[in-house]
Amino acid sequence: MSETVTGAREADAAAAVPRADAPKSKRKLMMAGAAGLVLLIGGGVYWEKDKIFTSKLKQNVGSKAEAAMHPPVLVGIPPMVSNLDTSGGHPVYVKLTAKVEVSGVPNEAALQDRIAEIQDVFQTYLHETRPQDIRGNGIYRLREAILRRLRAQLAPVQVTNLYLVEFLVQ
């Protein structure tokens, strides 16, 4: 009986001691995997380098050339008066004067026939706005919403900014 207990102890002791070559083989396997991954990524970049670098260069040169040909134009929107959406009995009016910065057009005369569209965007949005919507930082939200609508309405032309020159609530 002592032989089986001693044999079991030796087997447990041998199992508890890790083999010396097991960690080294895992380490070698991980190093080989990392090296293969680096080679794979490097090969992909080398294979596609012409497409990656030349397309970004062409985009930068193209956009700079277009910006030099047609610098941004400020289009003045005539003063407009609009009433806000009030559910109560007394009307609330807004007087608004703005400038729209547009790029991609040769001059301001090219946009003169689209000023009516721009005014319609302003009027439509202001009629939907309640007086409490423009309190605090509501003017900023109003500006951003009108800018989004202008970009959608004047789609081939790029609307870069909107300046509210005069904003009076009465």
Side-chain angles (χ1 to χ4, degrees), residues 41-100:
I41 291 172
V45 168
Y46 179 74
W47 185 268
E48 299 290 327
K49 72 178 178 179
D50 290 335
K51 292 179 186 173
I52 294 171
F53 296 118
T54 57
S55 66
K56 290 191 186 236
L57 181 64
K58 286 180 184 176
Q59 286 175 354
N60 289 340
V61 170
S63 64
K64 287 180 183 177
E66 183 180 321
M69 285 176 38
H70 302 293
V73 175
L74 277 175
V75 179
I77 306 301
M80 64 182 80
V81 177
S82 179
N83 59 338
L84 299 178
D85 179 25
T86 58
S87 57
H90 67 80
V92 176
Y93 295 102
V94 172
K95 182 179 180 186
L96 176 74
T97 307
K99 291 190 183 262
V100 179

Side-chain angles (χ1 to χ4, degrees), residues 113-139:
D113 52 337
R114 300 199 72 181
I115 287 186
E117 285 181 75
I118 296 171
Q119 285 179 320
D120 184 55
V121 169
F122 277 94
Q123 290 287 356
T124 305
Y125 189 77
L126 287 172
H127 285 302
E128 297 171 357
T129 306
R130 296 175 302 180
Q132 58 266 27
D133 292 341
I134 54 178
R135 290 195 183 113
N137 64 353
I139 293 176

